Amino acid sequence: MMTSQLSSTPKIGQVIFEEDDLFDQKRMVDKLDFLIQAWGHELRQKGYTTQIPATDEEWIKFLDMEIYWGDLKDQWDHYLVGCLIFFVSLRADIKRDFLLQPDNIRGQKLGWRLHKLRHYINPLLRNLITGFCLCYSTVSERNPITVRFTEIQ
């Protein structure tokens, strides 16, 4: 489900990942594509890049080489870049075999990514990433996860 809420500038949209989405490769990739594109537009609008990377490999290289956490202006920018780091890698894994892995292997991969995000972590990002880590590493009930983005007009 992709919705936006009415507010003054900036307009915040959201994508909700339901339990059924989490293990459906097509739905996950479609939702992640949408979010990554939206975050890419926001990075471009904020002047962090002039071009949105086209592939997962280009995104990973860009995020590793071109973005430095100390240059980010505010907590939202930390959330934005942290989400990109996490979700670009997750999308690449889902396109391969991530969803077929046992819970403990998926949990280990996500735990490693959480450590990689240590410079970008703020409460909003921590809660979001923790939600995905729990959903993919345990067999317990999986609650919907809401991911926020800024809608670019």
Side-chain angles (χ1 to χ4, degrees):
M1 175 175 176
M2 296 176 213
T3 63
S4 63
Q5 58 191 40
L6 296 175
S7 67
S8 61
T9 309
K11 190 173 182 182
I12 303 297
Q14 62 185 17
V15 173
I16 300 174
F17 290 85
E18 302 288 346
E19 182 176 357
D20 293 343
D21 298 334
L22 296 170
F23 289 91
D24 184 305
Q25 183 181 31
K26 182 178 178 351
R27 278 193 267 174
M28 283 299 295
V29 170
D30 288 348
K31 287 184 176 190
L32 293 173
D33 285 347
F34 176 83
L35 284 167
I36 290 166
Q37 191 69 17
W39 291 321
H41 284 294
E42 187 171 358
L43 280 181
R44 189 175 65 206
Q45 183 185 46
K46 291 183 171 210
Y48 291 113
T49 186
T50 56
Q51 185 175 343
I52 299 172
T55 67
D56 292 335
E57 294 77 22
E58 290 174 10
W59 265 114
I60 291 167
K61 182 178 178 183
F62 169 76
L63 293 166
D64 283 345
M65 306 291 280
E66 303 296 325
I67 297 286
Y68 175 65
W69 65 272
D71 293 337
L72 301 176
K73 297 175 185 104
D74 55 34
Q75 290 298 305
W76 183 259
D77 289 356
H78 280 81
Y79 168 81
L80 173 69
V81 173
C83 282
L84 279 166
I85 291 169
F86 183 81
F87 288 111
V88 167
S89 296
L90 180 61
R91 178 178 67 180
D93 279 350
I94 287 174
K95 287 177 181 177
R96 290 188 299 267
D97 65 348
F98 181 79
L99 298 177
L100 302 174
Q101 299 289 324
D103 292 343
N104 64 324
I105 301 298
R106 287 192 310 263
Q108 289 172 1
K109 284 184 176 185
L110 294 174
W112 176 81
R113 286 203 192 104
L114 185 59
H115 176 72
K116 187 176 180 181
L117 294 172
R118 67 190 175 279
H119 294 297
Y120 301 96
I121 288 294
N122 59 36
L124 183 59
L125 182 60
R126 176 178 283 118
N127 289 341
L128 175 62
I129 303 303
T130 300
F132 275 91
C133 289
L134 289 172
C135 284
Y136 280 123
S137 63
T138 65
V139 194
S140 65
E141 179 182 340
R142 294 176 172 97
N143 297 317
I145 302 170
T146 301
V147 181
R148 292 173 176 77
F149 64 96
T150 301
E151 292 183 357
I152 304 298
Q153 302 294 324

